[in-house]
Amino acid sequence: MINVFQAPPQGIQTAPHDPRILAAGHQVALREVNFTEVRDKDSLMLAFLRGLALTENFGRNWDALYDVLTDPEARPERFAILLTDYSAFRARQRQLGPQLESVLLDAQAEATRQGRSLWLLAEEAGHDPRAW
């Protein structure tokens, strides 16, 4: 598999094996958002609050999430979000999934316009490392 951090971000990509090690080696700050317990929009926003280490002042809506992801003072220039259990979330949440994806991809595009990088890496919680 090609190292995703050697190329510009391209939508939601499959997470590489050992994404934390690769991110560190390419000087990319990486945070994990776990979708395993997400059941509704409130729990989705809570997952981002935890995963991105946001304060309780986080607005917990689509605009607030976009603002957090595109704020150059809140995020490093090279930033990645590891979306754990993302495909299962999309299967469970057929309405929330497309809304979230739209916000994530719009934030990624805005980061690119700002000269920054925002990688979105989908990883399954029960992945088998022997599959690589």
Side-chain angles (χ1 to χ4, degrees):
M1 173 180 273
I2 296 173
N3 184 342
V4 296
F5 301 120
Q6 291 178 335
Q10 300 173 9
I12 298 175
Q13 299 169 270
T14 301
H17 181 60
D18 292 330
R20 291 158 191 83
I21 293 171
L22 287 175
H26 284 84
Q27 298 179 340
V28 174
L30 185 134
R31 297 297 301 221
E32 179 179 352
V33 176
N34 191 325
F35 291 90
T36 303
E37 301 296 321
V38 172
R39 301 289 176 247
D40 55 22
K41 186 176 177 185
D42 288 336
S43 59
L44 173 65
M45 293 299 162
L46 186 58
F48 274 95
L49 182 129
R50 288 181 189 140
L52 299 179
L54 303 174
T55 66
E56 287 297 322
N57 294 335
F58 172 57
R60 299 187 192 189
N61 59 52
W62 300 123
D63 290 337
L65 180 59
Y66 176 85
D67 290 345
V68 162
L69 295 175
T70 58
D71 182 356
E73 295 190 22
R75 298 286 147 232
E77 187 175 316
R78 294 173 53 83
F79 186 67
I81 303 173
L82 185 61
L83 309 168
T84 302
D85 205 23
Y86 185 70
S87 65
F89 157 76
R90 290 215 18 121
R92 283 190 319 267
Q93 300 294 326
R94 297 196 185 275
Q95 291 181 341
L96 280 179
Q99 292 173 319
L100 174 61
E101 191 169 306
S102 175
V103 171
L104 292 175
L105 295 176
D106 287 351
Q108 186 181 62
E110 178 59 25
T112 299
R113 281 190 289 280
Q114 295 172 359
R116 299 170 46 249
S117 298
L118 172 61
W119 285 272
L120 305 166
L121 307 173
E123 177 182 72
E124 292 314 303
H127 71 277
D128 179 6
R130 293 174 292 176
W132 291 292

